[in-house]
Amino acid sequence: MSQALVLSILTSFGIVMFTVSLVRRYSRGLELFLVSRRQVGTLVGGMSVAATWIWAPSLFLAAQKSFQQGLPGIMWFTVPNVACLIFFAFLAARIRKVFPQGYTLPEYIARCYDNKTHLTYLLCFLALQVCSLAVQLIAGAAMLSSLSGMPYYLGVIIIAAVFTSYSLVDGLYSSIRTEVLQLLLIYAGIGILVPLAVIRAGGIPTLVAGAAGFEGIYGNIFDPSVAYSFGITVTIGLMSGPIGDQKFWQRAFAFGKGNAVKGYILGAFLFGIVPVSMSLLGFLGAGDPQAAEAVRTGLVPAQQVGPEVIKNLLPGWGLAVFVLIVLSGLASTGGSALCAGGSLVAVDIYRKYLRPSAPEADLLKVSRWSVLGTSLFAVAIALIPGITILSLFLFYGTLRSSTMAPTVLTLFLDRIPSWGIFTGIIIALTCGLPLYCYGELTGNVHLKVAANIGIVLVSLIFPLISLFVSRRLNREMPVMR
């Protein structure tokens, strides 16, 4: 693809999204910017949830796992992705019941525990938003550089400018509007590319030939080796994903009364359509001897199987459509991260620690400046020489896992001592993060599995121990909220 074509796609995409974000029915205000007036409907909210959960690497990974590990690979990738959103649906309803006028999860944590526990949560949640946005910038800039030769740094800056421009308009309200359009663009692109690729590749016989992966050894959908090496770690990581991410709590607060559960369950199934559809490209690659040999010999990276199949089977415009799909996936997650970062800084830093009596107008200004600041921090990280998607993903994936159990316990149990929550998270991070990263970088599957399970257990056990000690000292049972 020429750089001119890539720039025209980016420019057109940015103009359309900015225009959509400008169309509004309500006057501007903090409630609109942070929680979309708490009136998001089931359908629109479900589409926003699905779009936010689609990030660009997942579009590549669905095809990669079906190519490498056939049916069990895509099953372990898709089922936990859908299940985690269904599970979160009930947590979203819970937070609306116990904290109906909230803005962020750390804000609720501050109501339950001391400042050091709140700051620990806040650090984890803020770091996740910045790293999540940086991953989108890295993935997008690397893809554009690979396809057109566009300088990497220029891709990072342009993509960040596109995301930030419409997120500054009306925050979450703008983000949700654009996410609905982005999800429709993803569906439209997949609906065009995947069926055409299947037809060009020879239809159902080619899909069947690739159902066991390119090596042909994964015919059992419940293959135990895939479950152990991939299924356990990805399930823990995905189940903790929404729970440790302000993007999803922000949408929980934004849903209209009674819509949160239905919206998140709808979003789960709307999301599931995407990896299942993209996995067909991986099956096509595995069923094609030439494509399989190209990956086996290292000519094509496994993560590039999806675009490689499109490039080989479809005319040149196929890659342009694929770029639009990926750009929509990047934008849906990137814009959400910016809005989440803005809410965390305004509510959990400015209002709590700097100016508790700040008027709404000042909080709105801080939110907008925080969106811009989150974008600049993410750009700075994305431009660090040698930085990779894997390194950032390992870092913020561990952050999410360490807060999963304490968050669930906090929502349903009362009187958990602060020291139990704080100690559990800190030990999980300081011990689990290095072990998991080392296991990932060295390819030690046993260490990765042990570290993943250990992070969850440590962050669960310490709050329970503190609760037990407190109960013995006070001679009373924990009260259910």
Side-chain angles (χ1 to χ4, degrees), residues 23-61:
V23 181
R24 62 182 180 275
R25 296 164 49 197
Y26 310 103
S27 59
R28 288 174 175 167
L30 188 68
E31 288 285 296
L32 188 76
F33 197 90
L34 294 186
V35 287
S36 196
R37 299 180 76 246
R38 305 185 196 274
Q39 293 183 5
V40 176
T42 300
L43 177 59
V44 170
M47 295 178 72
S48 172
V49 167
T52 300
W53 197 228
I54 299 169
W55 63 313
S58 70
L59 296 170
F60 292 90
L61 191 58

Side-chain angles (χ1 to χ4, degrees), residues 81-95:
N81 260 304
V82 172
C84 69
L85 292 178
I86 295 174
F87 176 63
F88 187 83
F90 301 97
L91 300 183
R94 184 66 179 172
I95 195 72

Side-chain angles (χ1 to χ4, degrees), residues 227 284 288 396 408 411 414 439:
L284 293 180
D288 180 355
Y396 75 68
V408 175
L411 284 172
D414 198 5

Side-chain angles (χ1 to χ4, degrees), residues 390-425:
L390 177 61
S391 59
L392 288 176
F393 179 76
L394 292 177
F395 175 68
Y396 75 68
T398 308
L399 296 181
R400 296 191 301 194
S401 298
S402 65
T403 58
M404 177 176 67
T407 300
V408 175
L409 291 175
T410 299
L411 284 172
F412 291 96
L413 288 177
D414 198 5
R415 299 180 184 176
I416 302 175
S418 294
W419 69 264
I421 298 290
F422 176 77
T423 305
I425 295 175

Side-chain angles (χ1 to χ4, degrees), residues 130-131 134-135 138 381-382 387-397:
V130 174
C131 292
V135 164
I138 293 170
I381 290 174
I387 196 73
T388 65
I389 291 175
L390 177 61
S391 59
L392 288 176
F393 179 76
L394 292 177
F395 175 68
Y396 75 68

